[in-house]
Amino acid sequence: MFIFRQLFDPQSSTYSYLLGDGAAGEAILIDPVFEQAARDGALVKELGLRLVATLDTHVHADHVTGAWLLGKRLGSRIAVSKAGGAEGADIQLADGDRVAFGKRYVTARATPGHTDGCMSFVLDDESMAFTGDALLIRGCGRTDFQQGSAHNLYRSIRMKIFTLPETCLLYPGHDYRGLTVTSVAEEKAFNPRLGGDISEEDFAGYMDNLGLPHPKQIDVAVPGNMVCGRPADEAPALQGPGWAPLTFTFAGFWEIAPAWVEEHGGEVQIVDVREADEFAGPMGRVPGSIQIPLGELEKRAGELSKERPVVTVCRAGARSAQAIAILKKAGFENVANMAGGMLRWRAQQLPTEGARD
Ligand SMILES: N[C@@H](CCC(=O)N[C@@H](CS)C(=O)NCC(=O)O)C(=O)O
Ligand SMILES: [Fe+2]
């Protein structure tokens, strides 16, 4: 089974793409974003995949790659184009090289122009291609910094992307208008910069006059990406929240196992967000927990200390996840949801207070 997920970083309008071979349990991630590494790692884990490699389409100017961080956290190998010149990669790609995940693979095609080292990645059956910032939907990458060349870009797109099957779906590195996917036929017909009969000279004239401001993050992003996203100070990036062995969920919050709560209950504030009758009901409660129903949490958050971590609990773990969002908004930093709630607590036969069944 082929697994495919398109992920978005709203800060930089960057798309990342997870491609997996479900049967083999292996995946690759194209263009990960540093700040989204926890999210992406959680997705890979929840889908039961092992990340074998990250691939960058180019040395980005607007965000730092998550390649190094994911490599450290998940053991993925870092693949970049040799022509991009970045240091610290495990795999230096040249035109025609393949990167495999399970029985599937992508082939790298050199598509320079936005930068010298730009590559597009084409899925083995040519049903999909990931064009980075060479071809965007009804647009293309700019050519006014980082070795940009409108002439090279025109030839790359015409010779390396428009020669794919007409039905091949094209997934870009960014979109700034909310568009997600296009196809070779669509871009050949409708791309206003280089579709139809537009010549190389027409294209160069267009690109010389874009008049775009430089990306806000360029001074941080380019040096960061030249070392594959490895920060000068590695330790803070590698540390999760120090107070407990938490797991980040793709839904966007930290979780903690019931067994840890049982062992360390005295070190944290355990907040049960069920209603009073449930808290006093036959299921019982976690010993030492205090009860604040979810509906009252916002106005009663002041009853809790910000100095000690908070673990939220409910029946099945859903309301307590919502409680995390409320507490975060109220300025609490160390908060985690007890995974599976009282149902899992009881299934694991952990000691309850007040249980009657
Ligand atoms: N406002 C954005 C600028 C984004 C930007 O310049 N993106 C590059 C890709 S790295 C591009 O080629 N944009 C093409 C376009 O906007 O048409 C930022 O500050 O990050
Ligand atoms: Fe770019």
Side-chain angles (χ1 to χ4, degrees):
M1 185 192 41
F2 177 63
I3 294 169
F4 174 64
R5 296 287 184 278
Q6 182 172 33
L7 299 153
F8 187 62
D9 173 54
Q11 207 61 38
S12 60
S13 299
T14 299
Y15 286 123
S16 307
Y17 299 98
L18 181 72
L19 281 68
D21 176 339
E26 290 189 355
I28 58 170
L29 184 58
I30 297 174
D31 283 340
V33 172
F34 189 91
E35 288 77 10
Q36 302 290 356
R39 176 198 69 179
D40 298 352
L43 178 62
V44 168
K45 213 166 149 191
E46 288 177 14
L47 295 178
L49 297 167
R50 187 170 72 83
L51 194 66
V52 295
T54 57
L55 286 68
D56 273 284
T57 54
H58 63 294
V59 173
H60 309 278
D62 56 348
H63 69 274
V64 175
T65 174
W68 173 84
L69 190 51
L70 288 163
K72 287 285 175 196
R73 288 188 182 165
L74 306 184
S76 44
R77 302 180 80 204
I78 301 174
V80 298
S81 106
K82 188 169 170 24
E87 282 172 30
D90 303 298
I91 306 167
Q92 304 271 351
L93 296 169
D95 187 70
D97 285 353
R98 291 176 178 182
V99 179
F101 51 104
K103 290 203 163 75
R104 309 298 302 264
Y105 64 87
V106 292
T107 305
R109 286 195 183 191
T111 49
H114 172 60
T115 73
D116 267 357
C118 281
M119 289 197 141
S120 296
F121 299 112
V122 181
L123 187 60
D124 43 23
D125 60 4
E126 300 195 339
S127 62
M128 297 178 161
F130 302 89
T131 55
D133 294 356
L135 186 68
L136 305 179
I137 301 173
R138 306 296 191 269
C140 64
R142 60 198 288 175
T143 52
D144 58 338
F145 55 65
Q146 282 184 301
Q147 326 95 35
S149 156
H151 292 279
N152 287 347
L153 185 56
Y154 183 90
R155 289 176 214 154
S156 288
I157 293 172
R158 288 287 178 114
M159 287 153 53
K160 297 285 191 65
I161 298 175
F162 283 0
T163 49
L164 287 163
E166 299 267 305
T167 53
C168 179
L169 295 175
L170 301 177
Y171 290 90
H174 300 284
D175 189 85
Y176 303 101
R177 297 185 299 142
L179 312 172
T180 55
V181 58
T182 183
S183 71
V184 169
E186 231 181 284
E187 291 308 311
K188 274 186 180 169
F190 300 116
N191 192 299
R193 299 187 186 181
L194 37 61
D197 296 327
I198 296 169
S199 71
E200 188 172 321
E201 289 314 315
D202 294 333
F203 178 67
Y206 190 123
M207 295 306 286
D208 285 345
N209 292 289
L210 283 183
L212 294 169
H214 271 197
K216 294 182 287 295
Q217 292 296 319
I218 190 166
D219 294 336
V220 175
V222 172
N225 289 320
M226 287 305 284
V227 291
C228 296
R230 178 182 183 167
D233 189 1
E234 295 183 18
L238 294 174
Q239 279 159 4
W243 60 276
L246 304 178
T247 308
F248 194 72
T249 66
F250 188 53
F253 50 83
W254 294 98
E255 270 191 346
I256 183 72
W260 186 93
V261 180
E262 201 259 322
E263 256 176 61
H264 298 84
E267 301 160 24
V268 298
Q269 307 170 83
I270 304 168
V271 180
D272 193 316
V273 299
R274 290 176 299 165
E275 299 301 316
D277 58 337
E278 295 177 271
F279 187 72
M283 267 191 119
R285 52 193 174 264
V286 175
S289 54
I290 53 169
Q291 188 246 346
I292 306 180
L294 186 62
E296 293 176 23
L297 188 58
E298 194 177 342
K299 65 172 193 294
R300 290 179 56 191
E303 293 174 24
L304 301 168
S305 161
K306 286 191 176 142
E307 306 304 314
R308 276 165 73 213
V310 179
V311 171
T312 59
V313 177
C314 68
R315 179 178 168 277
R319 279 175 285 171
S320 52
Q322 180 56 24
I324 300 271
I326 294 171
L327 290 172
K328 274 202 184 145
K329 231 172 160 182
F332 288 79
E333 276 173 19
N334 295 328
V335 281
N337 184 28
M338 192 177 84
M342 285 309 294
L343 287 175
R344 195 171 304 169
W345 180 275
R346 288 174 52 107
Q348 295 181 359
Q349 298 179 337
L350 297 169
T352 49
E353 195 173 80
R356 292 193 299 281
D357 62 357

